[in-house]
Amino acid sequence: MVRFLKNALDFYINSSMHVALAVCALCMVTYYNFQLIPSYKLLGFIFLSSITGYNFVKYAGIAKWRHKTLTRRLKRIQVFSFFVFLGLIYVSFLQSVEVIFVSLTLGVFTLFYAVPILPKSKNLRNLKSLKIFIIALVWAGVCAILPLVDRSGVSLSLLAATFLQYYIFILALLLPFEIRDLAYDIPGLGTFPQLYGVKNTKFFGGVLLVLFILLSFIIAQQIGYSKLEIALITLLLGGFIVFSSSSRSKYFTAFWAEALPIFWMLFAMLLR
């Protein structure tokens, strides 16, 4: 039974369902911020898009070079991803033109993140220190813009502030992942821990947290949500940055750190 539960949890994480749920949770925070009724057809579209995008980035290269020797686990993820993609095609026809346009624009970054477009067969992922900035850009765009793209009466200044708030939050959230992968990343990848060391990476995370909480308090004054909510999510994120290391269990980042947007959504639900 324990083995079955562990395998189920691993499939849930490795198939990108957990990260997709986190993306949808941050979209829900946007709905709470602007006091809007959530569009569940849009959330379904975002959920399926996130799984498709993440699995493409993570497994496309592996499937290309090792298609004849794929492990049973990876084959299951491939089959799962295929059916998710079919579902994505269906729900795409339920979206507005504006949603599709923004999604395709953000999808270009995802595509070029994995597909070589630069000299010497490089993709955006191989550019030094650029990886986390691209991921944060796509996350912030999906979670701040898509829920509001076809809503009238939304303040552009508040939308821009929310986008920047999410961008800083995701940038800080990615640092524990950068530190975790330090032992596995190729030397020339140029991640923050490789270039500046773990200590300076954590210091950079602290700077991001200060910017995040200051910006969040400014937004809170306009929206009226609880500052305790921001304090709690900042404290949790700061803890993951401080205690992150390359020797931590994979569940420390892949499950618990990845779940921080879900915790933020829960704080928003309980404290507003």
Side-chain angles (χ1 to χ4, degrees):
M1 185 62 180
V2 174
R3 183 179 179 84
F4 171 79
L5 292 176
K6 183 181 183 301
N7 289 337
L9 177 61
D10 287 340
F11 181 81
Y12 168 70
I13 294 173
N14 294 330
S15 65
S16 302
M17 283 190 284
H18 188 53
V19 66
L21 188 61
V23 174
C24 290
L26 197 54
C27 290
M28 285 296 296
V29 174
T30 303
Y31 283 122
Y32 285 122
N33 284 352
F34 290 86
Q35 300 179 356
L36 297 171
I37 298 175
S39 170
Y40 292 103
K41 68 177 182 180
L42 176 59
L43 289 172
F45 172 75
I46 291 172
F47 181 78
L48 297 176
S49 298
S50 299
I51 293 176
T52 301
Y54 264 89
N55 286 353
F56 173 75
V57 169
K58 288 193 295 184
Y59 302 120
I62 297 176
K64 177 181 178 181
W65 299 111
R66 300 176 55 194
H67 63 282
K68 294 183 179 179
T69 59
L70 292 177
T71 64
R72 182 179 301 178
R73 183 193 68 182
L74 189 53
K75 287 180 180 178
R76 288 173 180 169
I77 292 176
Q78 276 194 316
V79 173
F80 171 76
S81 300
F82 173 74
F83 284 105
V84 166
F85 181 67
L86 293 181
L88 174 61
I89 293 175
Y90 171 75
V91 298
S92 296
F93 288 99
L94 305 178
Q95 310 306 315
S96 67
V97 175
E98 293 83 1
V99 167
I100 296 300
F101 175 77
V102 174
S103 300
L104 289 176
T105 303
L106 295 171
V108 168
F109 287 96
T110 303
L111 179 66
F112 290 163
Y113 182 82
V115 177
I117 59 169
L118 300 172
K120 299 181 180 180
S121 298
K122 286 187 176 183
N123 51 40
L124 296 180
R125 186 178 185 177
N126 297 128
L127 296 181
K128 291 186 177 181
S129 301
L130 190 61
K131 178 177 72 172
I132 60 174
F133 294 98
I134 297 171
I135 298 174
L137 176 68
V138 175
W139 265 73
V142 169
C143 299
I145 297 177
L146 279 186
L148 305 173
V149 71
D150 55 357
R151 307 287 183 124
S152 60
V154 173
S155 168
L156 291 180
S157 60
L158 189 55
L159 173 59
T162 301
F163 176 87
L164 183 58
Q165 178 194 34
Y166 289 176
Y167 184 82
I168 295 171
F169 174 78
I170 297 301
L171 206 56
L173 179 58
L174 290 170
L175 295 180
F177 292 86
E178 293 271 282
I179 295 172
R180 178 201 65 183
D181 295 338
L182 184 58
Y184 308 102
D185 284 333
I186 58 176
L189 192 56
T191 64
F192 261 83
Q194 286 178 338
L195 294 175
Y196 309 110
V198 172
K199 184 177 180 180
N200 288 332
T201 299
K202 292 182 178 182
F203 176 79
F204 176 59
V207 173
L208 290 175
L209 288 179
V210 172
L211 295 175
F212 171 74
I213 199 167
L214 289 176
L215 180 58
S216 298
F217 281 174
I218 293 173
I219 296 174
Q221 289 179 341
Q222 298 183 50
I223 297 177
Y225 61 72
S226 172
K227 292 182 180 180
L228 177 60
E229 169 191 329
I230 297 301
L232 288 173
I233 196 63
T234 303
L235 185 63
L236 280 177
L237 180 52
F240 277 101
I241 293 173
V242 169
F243 293 106
S244 60
S245 73
S246 58
S247 61
R248 289 285 182 186
S249 165
K250 66 177 182 179
Y251 300 108
F252 178 82
T253 48
F255 184 80
W256 291 110
E258 199 81 79
L260 281 181
I262 301 174
F263 284 111
W264 190 353
M265 180 190 69
L266 294 176
F267 294 151
M269 293 172 60
L270 296 173
L271 297 174
R272 298 190 188 183

